[in-house]
Amino acid sequence: MEGQDCIFCKIAAGDIPSKTIYEDEDFRVILDINPAEKGHALIIPKKHYADIFELPEDIAASAMVLAKKLATHISGVLGCDGFNIIQNNGEVAGQTVFHFHIHLLPRHKGDSNQDTMCWNHVELSPEELEGICQSLRLQG
């Protein structure tokens, strides 16, 4: 979906106007045009990567450093009570634009999304938990 068909590629390249709050060689950070809250921003790499699985490790690291920098800045300017940093991968996980991006979502006590960032918990036996732990253990 890179190039002509990807709206985030067009925004990142400056071909579609946006409310840009930060830009460097690798990223453009814009205000979301359909924000969940005041100050909701998106970190968009200038190069196309569909999701985190395609993202090179150096760009992933830079994106998280940038997320921290922008979360700190936005929180200071808007006086936030909290902050969500959200990144979805795949349709089933809520990804709607298939160009890697990170949502920066400032939070205030009593905001309209106060309890919407939750999920249901599953019950696992100690044996199930141990089996999952063993199968997922990654050697460093």
Side-chain angles (χ1 to χ4, degrees):
M1 182 168 282
E2 186 173 358
Q4 280 187 312
D5 298 331
C6 178
I7 191 164
F8 279 7
C9 283
K10 292 176 185 177
I11 292 170
D15 297 337
I16 294 177
S18 64
K19 299 294 183 198
T20 300
I21 62 171
Y22 177 85
E23 183 175 7
D24 65 23
E25 183 179 309
D26 296 317
F27 299 97
R28 182 180 293 259
V29 182
I30 64 169
L31 292 178
D32 194 307
I33 63 168
N34 208 5
E37 295 296 335
K38 178 178 150 185
H40 180 178
L42 303 173
I43 297 175
I44 304 170
K46 290 185 175 179
K47 187 169 185 226
H48 184 86
Y49 307 101
D51 52 33
I52 198 164
F53 305 111
E54 290 186 4
L55 201 64
E57 288 185 6
D58 62 324
I59 298 296
S62 295
M64 191 51 77
V65 169
L66 184 57
K68 180 187 184 296
K69 178 179 181 174
L70 267 293
T72 301
H73 175 69
I74 292 168
S75 291
V77 172
L78 297 181
C80 302
D81 298 311
F83 211 93
N84 289 114
I85 297 174
I86 304 163
Q87 202 284 305
N88 303 318
N89 297 281
E91 186 175 349
V92 70
Q95 186 177 10
T96 57
V97 177
F98 294 90
H99 179 118
F100 175 90
H101 58 286
I102 298 173
H103 291 263
L104 303 174
L105 189 55
R107 302 305 298 269
H108 294 90
K109 289 182 183 168
D111 68 28
S112 62
N113 289 300
Q114 188 75 34
D115 295 318
T116 60
M117 303 304 290
C118 299
W119 51 83
N120 296 320
H121 296 272
V122 297
E123 295 289 328
L124 297 173
S125 70
E127 295 79 21
E128 288 173 306
L129 192 56
E130 180 60 28
I132 292 166
C133 180
Q134 292 296 326
S135 68
L136 294 180
R137 190 162 281 139
L138 181 65
Q139 300 301 316

